[in-house]
Amino acid sequence: HVPLDQFDAPNNELMAAAQAIKDIESSGGNYQARGPVVKSGMYTGQRAMGAYQVMPGNLPQWSKSALGREVTEEEFLSDMGIQDSIFLDQFTKSYKKHGNFNDAASIWFTGETVEKGRGRTDGQMTSEDYLKGFTGKFNRYLNEV
């Protein structure tokens, strides 16, 4: 997996955040998970993939950022380390930019900070429900570390 010393966030907090996101996005870390087909918006026709539910449209840019090369959807779905690396790279960028895990989680779900993402939904849950779930899971995992 990913050497955590490359990330400018406290390791135990980053791992708690990653597990919380996996719990919400793929019922605890199903690295082969596929979401439903997106019906509208910029991801229309796409299905989120993996433990963190990455959109295929983000995969080329995000894999290049995290790994220095683009990966295929098949490679992404078959490699836990690739998924973890891409998530940690993107999530850590949001954490560094905004200075807190709630905004990073909101950006993961809505593409916006908590304030700007308020009231957004993916058709299954609202941004407020997502953040409530994230905060509860994050705090629980942080206490286990």
Side-chain angles (χ1 to χ4, degrees), residues 51-84:
Y52 304 96
Q53 292 292 278
V54 170
M55 296 308 292
N58 292 326
L59 189 58
Q61 180 183 348
W62 288 7
S63 60
K64 193 152 179 65
S65 172
L67 307 168
R69 66 182 179 87
E70 291 184 15
V71 298
T72 65
E73 290 181 33
E74 294 74 23
E75 188 179 5
F76 176 83
L77 283 167
S78 68
D79 192 316
M80 293 168 52
I82 286 175
Q83 291 185 40
D84 290 341

Side-chain angles (χ1 to χ4, degrees), residues 65-109:
S65 172
L67 307 168
R69 66 182 179 87
E70 291 184 15
V71 298
T72 65
E73 290 181 33
E74 294 74 23
E75 188 179 5
F76 176 83
L77 283 167
S78 68
D79 192 316
M80 293 168 52
I82 286 175
Q83 291 185 40
D84 290 341
S85 293
I86 290 171
F87 170 78
L88 290 169
D89 181 62
Q90 289 300 310
F91 196 82
T92 301
K93 284 178 183 176
S94 296
Y95 172 80
K96 282 192 220 177
K97 182 174 182 179
H98 299 284
N100 68 79
F101 285 98
N102 280 344
D103 277 334
S106 179
I107 289 166
W108 190 258
F109 182 67

